[in-house]
Amino acid sequence: MAAPVAVATLPDEVQGEEVFVRSTEPSGSFRIDPAQYWHLDCLTLVSAGISDNTQGLQSIADLPHLRKLYLNNNSLTNFDFFIRDAPLLSDLSGANNKLRDIGGICRLPALKWLNVSGNAELTLPSSSSHPSVDRVLIRGSAMTSDSAQNLFSCFPNLRCLDADSYIAGYPGFIGSCLRLSPFREISQGLGVKVMSQSQLQRVLHDGCLSVPCFAILPDDEEFEQFCECHGVFVFDGISVVRKVHKFQAFRTLTDAGIRTPYTEHMDLDHWDRLLQEDVPFSFPDFPCIMKPSNGANGMHVWLIKSKEDLEAHIALARTLLHKGSPTSECWVDDFVLQEAMPHSLGIDVRVLVCAGQVLACRMRKAGRPGEFRTNLSQGGGTDPNYVLVPEHAEMAVASAVRAFGLLYAGVDMFFTNAERTELCVNEVNPGCGFDGFRQSNVALRLAVVKEIIIRTLRLSEDDTTNCCATRETSGCEIDG
């Protein structure tokens, strides 16, 4: 006796480029004639009783122009019916099935949008990767650190994620307004709620926060303490960032056994007296570098070539101290003198480190003759194809992670020999930018945000104290 023809069998005549089939009857078999439906662009088989045993599902891959396939509310456990490549299929929905495995999507090289919500038993293998997918819906599945790790491994270019932000324990994102802009769009795309400092304070005071949350680069110590008291995981807060004060950084790197240019804190009055009295001094040799202890972007960094040059720049430094707002980029606390590395004037290496790994590196070069600063903001150029040898990669990681405890940072390294085969660490910059690398700005931001999400979930799983209980017992307050 012949197998029954499924109620999901396509109609004899198709009007336009879309077919919608809906039925609550079980489907025993399924057939498509590619010659008849070669032009089909969208196929919707919702509640059609389809299961792994439905015969003829493989014929879907024979539709040469199919771009969208919707299989919601059926009984599929996998997508293995894709036995051949479906080269144009970009949208696939298998919501509310019984999916356990999605390995079959390896046959869909153009897949961009995937909906696997409502499949509670779904597991994501860490071994497969689908770089074409950038949008995923996965509501109805609890998100743990392992599943998040696998999710980002499966979809390394994921930019839009709908994952039950507050139901499944997906972390919220919190930070001060000054620091949010590089991550806001990507964080929101990954299903993370973005809050400003004041918004978070109100939410925590009202007791409305019940999921793992994180704050990145809060630049206010009181706010950082407030976060920690309320169970918010802080990454690269001000208590850590203070350690990269230029003179403090020299001590920290030296204590960690990491080679770095000799650096001294400048007492401007003391140096005025030395220069006026023409007292001999052992440091610095000229040329040397004079720069703010808390500077960025190459601002007010000077190459000092003589005593007279030093005297003139000390006078200039006095006019810059404590001008403007302490939170502004132009604020200058004090200055340091640093040994100049003659083989690295006008050329250095920037290494982007995240979670103990090198994400990217580039060689930087001064942008004009006579300029020794390599910062992009000072007109510097870049060679994104520079290759960092393992020994120097380890030095960069040790500087950012083991010496300072930073989640992510830009490590600036100087060449120490004429052949430019040896490096030392100049500075460690928390919260650095992502421009100028071989990898795109977006890809690097994604890597950092994904690592923060995974770490937040892992910390939450390891944390034995409930966030609400912490709020009730801590008594931490901050003026709103």
Side-chain angles (χ1 to χ4, degrees), residues 446-460:
L446 277 170
V448 174
V449 173
K450 289 174 182 178
E451 183 60 36
I452 294 170
I453 290 170
I454 293 166
R455 286 195 169 211
T456 299
L457 290 166
R458 189 170 294 130
L459 287 169
S460 177

Side-chain angles (χ1 to χ4, degrees), residues 165-212:
S165 300
Y166 280 84
I167 297 172
Y170 203 71
F173 174 93
I174 303 97
S176 67
C177 293
L178 203 64
R179 297 289 191 173
L180 281 182
S181 55
F183 296 105
R184 182 184 294 275
E185 179 182 351
I186 285 173
S187 299
Q188 289 175 327
L190 291 176
V192 179
K193 185 173 180 61
V194 178
M195 301 183 196
S196 69
Q197 192 164 303
S198 58
Q199 288 172 328
L200 173 64
Q201 291 167 8
R202 288 195 295 271
V203 168
L204 291 180
H205 277 304
D206 293 341
C208 300
L209 198 64
S210 59
V211 298

